[in-house]
Amino acid sequence: MAGAAGPGSGPGAAGGDGDDSLYPIAVLIDELRNEDVQLRLNSIKKLSTIALALGVERTRTELLPFLTDTIYDEDEVLLALAEQLGNFTGLVGGPDFAHCLLPPLESLATVEETVVRDKAVESLRQISQEHTPVALEAHFVPLVKRLASGDWFTSRTSACGLFSVCYPRASNAVKAEIRQHFRSLCSDDTPMVRRAAASKLGEFAKVLELDSVKTEIVPLFTNLASDEQDSVRLLAVEACVSIAQLLSQEDLEALVMPTLRQAAEDKSWRVRYMVADKFSELQKAVGPKIALSDLIPAFQSLLRDCEAEVRAAAAHKVRELCENLPAEGRETVIMNQILPYIKELVSDTNQHVKSALASVIMGLSTVLGKENTIEHLLPLFLAQLKDECPEVRLNIISNLDCVNEVIGIRQLSQSLLPAIVELAEDAKWRVRLAIIEYMPLLAGQLGVEFFDEKLNSLCMAWLVDHVYAIREAATNNLMKLVQKFGTEWAQNTIVPKVLVMANDPNYLHRMTTLFCINALSEACGKEITTKQMLPIVLKMAGDQVANVRFNVAKSLQKIGPILDTNALQGEVKPVLQKLGQDEDMDVKYFAQEAISVVAQRLRKLDFPVKDSEEPSIPGVDKNLFLRPRGPGEDTGKAQRDGAAPVASEEAVEAAQLRGTNTAKGPACQLHINTRDTLAQLEIAEAMHFPQSRE
């Protein structure tokens, strides 16, 4: 499209500038009429390119009228158009001509699809900021009025989102008209329009004068909060937060609180749910005095609501409510007015309610202090640790750090252990996975002695779990534990148990041994890795299962940088060379990868590499890439020149037969000697850049 727009290109280029200048718009029209939706969508996404080619004047006089007249398409295309037009001000000549963008966006704001209307409104809001106050009243405000008085509900819903952006810069007379239109929409016959008005009520209230808020917005709020549709009433609750922030305490008590109390007891559970969900914001908006006198009783009723969804939403807000209470008298309010209701929720019949409470109840310990936590909260924690629902137990364990700061973990340890054991053996693997992730935190809080006595066996049992994700997480868990407790603990406690698994009849468990060694080697250091772990890895190189053998090669590559040079030269290299001749292609491949890494390590250490220890390659000097070449030495170029095309053809054929999808694993990769670098480059060129070869 960009090329089509360039000078001297396209049909008619030779016929004069007039013909050429018509070409971009002709292409656009062509693509917009194409049956393929994707082509039409691509054309819309290139509107800015077309506009640049046409220039600002022709964009205003030709492109925008064309778009306005032809708005009838798939929703996906219209959505892209609405988004593009929001950034079009510079392409039509700047803010002075921003009003030219209003007609197509006005049409888009009336379509049936909600996401298109919302995007059009978003673009209109953006463009409104670029209007001067005069242009705003001359062009933008009339658009809002037309939408607000449209016959179809879609235009009226779109208008609701535009009042707040044009009101602040309008004159007093126009402001009165805008408020009148908004009042009309709040009492519209169509519930969808009233919903849209209710959702924008708080936003509109913020830009109004305080007197108008009291005299006009508050009555609208009261009416919407008592609407026959619960979907309107619950949106009015959301607007209450914004309105409450604007009023004084006296006005709040007189004008808003009766409606809010009514909403907290609404017959629809969805409205009560919204009150519970917005409770912390409402609490901050109304201030501490009204919160204590009005909101605490409302919160109590929400905690005892007949609908589990409402109780769960209220339970989620318990900690925030307590933290937002004024410091003076907070403890008394919590102990007398909140805690009795919390105790009831601990034994609630619904697991979602108990789970929601368990996720926040531990945070109350920092609010209530040590004595109250031990006397009142600790029994609740212990009861939840024994709950039949695993999510409840998990939420308690995941927040133990809050209690640990206040009373220490020992108070919980006797009840904590059975809960951890049950979670560790839960039938759902995701529950087991979650408790593994918290194990390092628990270990740090419980201490090494308690951990060794009670939890060490659990961590080892996870290594042989039937789910791979659990075994992998357990391996990472061991590494974190070693970092926390130190290498001496690892050498005496963990490493021996891991190495015993190398003789397990199940090859998956033997592979887990290798994964553990990979993870532990860095944390344990050179000495433990060389003396204790390396012999086991080398012994496993003779395993009868190919998967184990190629993981041995990967492990040797992983721990190679940690080992000393004697071990690399005397023990690792011979084993890798043997694996490099393995009958299994994957074992051979990973062995050659590891040999390459080990050779680089030895070269960096200036350690001499013996000729006899290199695997021989027919026709190639085996030390060719391992020793420095002398001045003028022939590097075998002629030999490679002859061999490379053959190697390339064979490699391409092999790649075609085997497939090049690397997601299938190592078996799909080319298994060539990694030292023959130039041959590799030839193969890569043949495989990935066939167009460049003649």
Side-chain angles (χ1 to χ4, degrees):
M1 186 66 70
S9 63
D17 292 341
D19 290 341
D20 182 51
S21 64
L22 290 174
Y23 183 60
I25 193 72
V27 172
L28 174 67
I29 293 169
D30 249 6
E31 289 195 359
L32 280 177
R33 290 172 177 167
N34 197 292
E35 291 183 3
D36 187 349
V37 176
Q38 190 59 45
L39 274 179
R40 300 202 300 275
L41 184 61
N42 291 341
S43 181
I44 289 295
K45 288 181 177 178
K46 293 175 183 174
L47 273 182
S48 57
T49 306
I50 297 295
L52 283 171
L54 291 174
V56 294
E57 186 175 346
R58 293 191 61 202
T59 297
R60 295 195 300 265
T61 58
E62 296 178 36
L63 180 59
L64 292 179
F66 166 73
L67 292 173
T68 306
D69 294 339
T70 57
I71 289 180
Y72 176 74
D73 207 329
E74 299 287 337
D75 295 330
E76 190 179 6
V77 177
L78 297 180
L79 180 64
L81 177 59
E83 185 175 9
Q84 287 281 317
L85 290 175
N87 304 308
F88 239 60
T89 305
L91 298 171
V92 295
D96 291 341
F97 297 95
H99 61 273
C100 297
L101 298 170
L102 300 183
L105 285 171
E106 182 178 356
S107 298
L108 289 168
T110 63
V111 301
E112 192 170 350
E113 178 55 46
T114 306
V115 292
V116 177
R117 294 202 309 271
D118 290 345
K119 183 59 71 175
V121 169
E122 184 183 323
S123 292
L124 283 168
R125 289 167 65 97
Q126 188 175 332
I127 291 170
S128 71
Q129 304 304 319
E130 295 165 349
H131 280 70
T132 62
V134 175
L136 192 78
E137 288 197 11
H139 301 287
F140 195 85
V141 172
L143 175 146
V144 176
K145 292 177 181 176
R146 286 195 300 272
L147 290 175
S149 55
D151 293 333
W152 193 238
F153 80 91
T154 53
S155 67
R156 302 200 296 276
T157 57
S158 295
C160 295
L162 299 175
F163 290 109
S164 60
V165 293
C166 63
Y167 186 87
R169 293 191 292 155
S171 62
N172 290 334
V174 174
K175 283 182 176 179
E177 290 183 51
I178 292 173
R179 294 197 302 271
Q180 177 58 45
H181 279 289
F182 191 82
R183 286 198 299 273
S184 300
L185 294 179
C186 287
S187 56
D188 196 275
D189 293 336
T190 310
M192 288 81 83
V193 178
R194 297 201 302 276
R195 275 203 298 271
S199 68
K200 300 297 180 182
L201 183 65
E203 180 185 290
F204 190 48
K206 288 179 181 178
V207 300
L208 261 64
E209 301 79 7
L210 183 58
D211 289 342
S212 297
V213 172
K214 292 181 185 178
T215 58
E216 299 185 40
I217 295 297
V218 170
L220 293 177
F221 162 70
T222 305
N223 291 336
L224 291 170
S226 56
D227 194 274
E228 61 182 14
Q229 296 279 332
D230 61 353
S231 58
V232 177
R233 298 200 300 274
L234 66 87
L235 289 170
V237 171
E238 196 169 352
C240 181
V241 176
S242 300
I243 296 170
Q245 293 170 344
L246 303 172
L247 300 175
S248 64
Q249 292 286 299
E250 294 77 12
D251 291 333
L252 264 176
E253 186 61 57
L255 302 174
V256 174
M257 289 315 298
T259 306
L260 187 56
R261 284 192 290 267
Q262 176 187 334
E265 300 171 355
D266 196 277
K267 60 183 179 181
S268 169
W269 71 268
R270 296 204 299 166
V271 178
R272 301 196 303 274
Y273 175 90
M274 182 60 80
V275 174
D277 189 54
K278 298 289 180 183
F279 207 88
S280 300
E281 297 170 43
L282 289 167
Q283 183 185 6
K284 292 176 183 176
V286 301
K289 184 179 178 182
I290 295 179
L292 287 173
S293 60
D294 288 270
L295 291 190
I296 295 296
F299 193 71
Q300 291 171 339
S301 66
L302 293 172
L303 289 173
R304 280 184 173 171
D305 198 273
C306 59
E307 290 291 337
E309 288 86 349
V310 179
R311 296 199 303 276
H316 264 301
K317 301 296 178 181
V318 164
R319 180 176 179 176
E320 290 180 37
L321 171 83
C322 296
E323 289 176 342
N324 292 336
L325 289 170
E328 186 180 351
R330 174 194 293 167
E331 184 180 325
T332 305
V333 172
I334 295 173
M335 297 300 296
N336 296 335
Q337 300 186 54
I338 303 296
L339 196 59
Y341 296 86
I342 292 176
K343 290 178 179 178
E344 293 179 14
L345 293 184
V346 169
S347 55
D348 197 276
T349 54
N350 187 282
Q351 69 177 33
H352 298 295
V353 176
K354 293 186 291 185
S355 180
L357 181 64
S359 66
V360 298
I361 191 172
M362 304 291 273
L364 295 181
S365 57
T366 56
V367 179
L368 290 177
K370 184 174 181 178
E371 292 182 7
N372 285 324
T373 298
I374 293 174
E375 183 179 352
H376 298 285
L377 293 181
L378 191 57
L380 304 183
F381 300 157
L382 298 178
Q384 289 184 305
L385 278 171
K386 297 173 184 175
D387 196 277
E388 60 183 11
C389 176
E391 282 80 8
V392 175
R393 303 196 299 271
L394 196 60
N395 283 343
I396 288 291
I397 290 171
S398 64
N399 290 283
L400 280 175
D401 52 331
C402 300
V403 178
N404 191 32
E405 293 173 8
V406 180
I407 64 171
I409 209 73
R410 291 288 172 181
Q411 297 277 0
L412 279 172
S413 59
Q414 295 306 314
S415 294
L416 189 62
L417 186 62
I420 292 173
V421 171
E422 285 184 33
L423 288 168
E425 298 171 351
D426 195 274
K428 298 176 182 175
W429 69 269
R430 294 185 188 278
V431 175
R432 301 200 300 276
L433 182 63
I435 193 63
I436 292 173
E437 291 171 352
Y438 291 115
M439 194 55 66
L441 172 68
L442 290 171
Q445 293 172 347
L446 293 168
V448 65
E449 292 180 7
F450 186 92
F451 181 84
D452 283 344
E453 182 184 350
K454 307 291 186 181
L455 299 178
N456 198 338
S457 57
L458 273 181
C459 292
M460 301 310 298
W462 283 322
L463 291 173
V464 294
D465 195 279
H466 66 278
V467 177
Y468 172 76
I470 301 297
R471 299 197 300 273
E472 183 182 36
T475 301
N476 294 329
N477 173 54
L478 288 185
M479 179 180 67
K480 293 175 183 175
L481 291 173
V482 171
Q483 291 170 346
K484 194 172 288 289
F485 291 149
T487 55
E488 186 178 347
W489 173 81
Q491 187 175 10
N492 298 330
T493 310
I494 294 295
V495 174
K497 294 180 180 178
V498 168
L499 299 183
V500 167
M501 292 169 55
N503 300 316
D504 196 288
N506 189 329
Y507 84 96
L508 292 173
H509 300 167
R510 300 200 296 276
M511 285 171 60
T512 302
T513 302
L514 294 171
F515 299 151
C516 289
I517 289 173
N518 293 346
L520 294 174
S521 58
E522 192 172 341
C524 290
K526 179 189 291 186
E527 186 177 352
I528 296 175
T529 303
T530 304
K531 290 184 178 178
Q532 290 185 259
M533 299 185 193
L534 180 59
I536 299 298
V537 178
L538 298 175
K539 180 183 176 184
M540 295 174 73
D543 198 283
Q544 61 183 358
V545 178
N547 285 35
V548 176
R549 296 200 300 277
F550 80 63
N551 274 290
V552 166
K554 291 171 74 172
S555 292
L556 290 174
Q557 179 178 340
K558 169 76 175 175
I559 68 176
I562 300 168
L563 301 172
D564 58 40
T565 54
N566 291 330
L568 279 177
Q569 182 70 29
E571 300 178 63
V572 173
K573 282 190 66 178
V575 170
L576 286 176
Q577 289 169 355
K578 183 180 178 182
L579 291 174
Q581 305 301 320
D582 197 275
E583 59 184 12
D584 185 89
M585 192 170 287
D586 291 332
V587 177
K588 195 183 300 184
Y589 170 78
F590 284 112
Q592 290 167 354
E593 288 284 303
I595 287 170
S596 177
V597 172
V598 169
Q600 289 173 10
R601 163 89 168 149
L602 290 173
R603 278 200 299 274
K604 285 180 182 177
L605 296 170
D606 294 324
F607 198 92
V609 181
K610 298 178 182 177
D611 291 356
S612 59
E613 294 177 351
E614 286 302 314
S616 60
I617 307 168
V620 179
D621 179 1
K622 57 190 171 185
N623 284 328
L624 184 62
F625 299 102
L626 296 179
R627 60 179 172 80
R629 299 187 180 94
E633 182 180 350
D634 181 14
T635 58
K637 181 178 184 300
Q639 187 178 30
R640 286 193 305 277
D641 287 345
V646 178
S648 300
E649 291 170 11
E650 291 175 352
V652 173
E653 184 179 354
Q656 289 170 345
L657 289 172
R658 296 165 62 83
T660 56
N661 185 1
T662 55
K664 294 179 182 176
C668 294
Q669 302 179 36
L670 291 174
H671 296 273
I672 64 171
N673 194 299
T674 54
R675 293 190 307 280
D676 199 350
T677 319
L678 296 180
Q680 277 189 314
L681 292 173
E682 279 287 319
I683 292 166
E685 183 182 0
M687 288 177 60
H688 299 294
F689 308 104
Q691 305 91 334
S692 64
R693 296 182 65 86
E694 296 180 1

